[in-house]
Amino acid sequence: RTTDVLKRIDEATESKPKKIFLEIGINDIGTGVPEDSIISNYTKILTAIKEQSPASAIYVQSLFPSSDKTKIAAIENCNKKLEDYCKKNNIRFINLYQAFFKDGGIDTGMTFDGLQFNGKGYTMWKQLIELYVNE
């Protein structure tokens, strides 16, 4: 959850990593955290990273789809707000959502429970972000 990342942000920045990849928020949505709170927490996380480790390149990954189709609108809204925030603040946004979206939710071939990836899902995720890891 975004609140958990906020509590541990110092751990991520203390070594001043070259790159930081973030993919958080779906568990917030799953537990009913309002979209505005998720975006507010994300903003605090990104601000803290920039302040604590200014040389680190930041990569924000979109939230993935869910099999719970009642959550899709919230996921898409968060992704749009995150993408807009990243554009305004010169942060790389990696939109992975469409690669995992099928038939109105997460591609069931990529997951074992409708949310968590199986081997095929993790392999696809790795392939999609590998370019950014290696640049």
Side-chain angles (χ1 to χ4, degrees), residues 101-116:
F101 186 82
K102 184 176 179 183
D103 298 326
I106 194 166
D107 182 342
T108 57
M110 301 285 180
T111 179
F112 63 86
D113 66 357
L115 185 62
Q116 305 299 319

Side-chain angles (χ1 to χ4, degrees), residues 26 63-73 75-76 79 96-111 113-117:
I26 194 67
L63 281 69
F64 296 111
S66 169
S67 63
D68 184 346
K69 295 180 182 181
T70 66
K71 307 288 188 210
I72 294 299
I75 294 167
E76 291 177 351
N79 281 339
L96 303 171
Y97 183 83
Q98 287 300 333
F100 294 93
F101 186 82
K102 184 176 179 183
D103 298 326
I106 194 166
D107 182 342
T108 57
M110 301 285 180
T111 179
D113 66 357
L115 185 62
Q116 305 299 319
F117 288 144

Side-chain angles (χ1 to χ4, degrees), residues 26-118:
I26 194 67
N27 290 332
D28 293 85
I29 288 175
T31 57
V33 175
E35 294 168 34
D36 288 341
S37 294
I38 297 168
I39 300 305
S40 175
N41 288 340
Y42 233 114
T43 300
K44 291 173 188 172
I45 291 164
L46 294 169
T47 299
I49 292 171
K50 284 185 168 190
E51 289 174 357
Q52 296 173 20
S53 189
S56 297
I58 305 169
Y59 298 80
V60 172
Q61 298 170 79
S62 63
L63 281 69
F64 296 111
S66 169
S67 63
D68 184 346
K69 295 180 182 181
T70 66
K71 307 288 188 210
I72 294 299
I75 294 167
E76 291 177 351
N77 288 338
C78 281
N79 281 339
K80 177 67 174 134
K81 290 175 184 177
L82 286 172
E83 184 174 19
D84 290 346
Y85 180 88
C86 288
K87 282 181 184 176
K88 290 177 188 172
N89 291 279
N90 199 29
I91 297 170
R92 298 287 297 267
F93 182 80
I94 306 171
N95 191 344
L96 303 171
Y97 183 83
Q98 287 300 333
F100 294 93
F101 186 82
K102 184 176 179 183
D103 298 326
I106 194 166
D107 182 342
T108 57
M110 301 285 180
T111 179
F112 63 86
D113 66 357
L115 185 62
Q116 305 299 319
F117 288 144
N118 59 21

